[in-house]
Amino acid sequence: MMSNNIEAVGGAEAVAGCTGNHPVLEILDDLVRINSVNPYYEEGAPGESDVACYVEERMRRAGIPVRRQQVFAGRWNVVAELSVGKPERALLFESHMDTVPAGSMENAFEPQIRDGRLYGRGACDTKATLAGMIWAIEYWAARRDSLPRDLVLCAAVDEEAAFRGVLRFLEEDREHRLAGAVVGEPTELRVVSATKGCARFAVETRGKAAHSSMPEEGDNAIYRMLAVLSYIRDREAPRLEGLSHPLCGRASISVGTIESGGQINIVPERCEIQVDRRILPGEQPDVVREQFKQALGAELPSDTVFEVRELLSDWALDTDPQAAIVREALQVAGKLGLATEAVGVPYGTDASKLQQLGGIPSIVFGPGSIAQAHSKHEWVDLEEVIQAATFYATLAGVQSAE
Ligand SMILES: [Zn+2]
């Protein structure tokens, strides 16, 4: 049995009903003021470097060794390690530093506080979790003699685009053999142990170009695509509705883009769609894509020329409910008066990579809701931010069951 004497740290008792002046709120305010829009979405966007410098500076001031992992030119992960000679239960806090663009959000980088909420781009996705993790590691840096395990903070780049940051972390840090990881994303303070993954791919049909005055001379790739679309809508989508996971819900497929033709008077020789297939724990993206291709090939007229090309693959997360990280997290949640059942979410996070490539049992936990993430009115509840910070610090301080 895990220790029953979990003590909430950082004055969690004072949290209920009182947002006060917890230091995590200042960190959050600082972070939202720093524009870290991922340049993948907006040419000329600054990326994560200013947030990275901010995290580095705080870690240095707290006396925590910190290093950079270059991922792209001018974009690097920040890895801080609070080592107290107890690596066997080393715990990783991972949070991404990038955000999606401001879009139509007003004052996106000037945080506004109204009704106990902080508004701004990245407020809930995921600067609130990053702030909480920074606060938790600083809290323990000041009390390192009583810290029962090593702590690692990875503030990663590029989660919003192609997860390059966490992949880079795993390339370099596999020797850590981290005992568990908490990935920060808005989960409404629920312990998430399962998430969907995705298999995104393009399907291209090929025909033969001809002048549109003699279409019979050509082979219209758009018409060829009709059979593909019908197959997805009428066969594959209904089939997937029958495929579900107890924590994550249903698998799904969606056609997001279609592109073809250059000119009205030419029969198009190629047509391409982009498909987003959300996969469940137990499914593998490569296998799913290959099976789709086989099944599609069997449905299409035999003279159809088509190709299926991988765009982005991500595993589902399916952490063993009996893993120490899950049990400890649920105990801490109980101590703080939060939900004590692990849940699943339909979106992907860096956690699946930590589990799949690093073999690190991982959960996702953070304040705020995915419903507000990326939105015009992104906000996070300040009380939840304090609770999350308390959760991270308390989890770090959980003593071993042995
Ligand atoms: Zn996020």
Side-chain angles (χ1 to χ4, degrees), residues 96 125-126 159-160 185-186:
H96 65 87
D125 188 9
T126 199
E159 190 275 342
E160 296 289 2
E185 290 286 356

Side-chain angles (χ1 to χ4, degrees), residues 12 18 31 51 111 131 165 262 317 321 360 363 371:
C18 159
L31 288 172
V51 167
L317 175 72
I360 307 166
I363 60 160

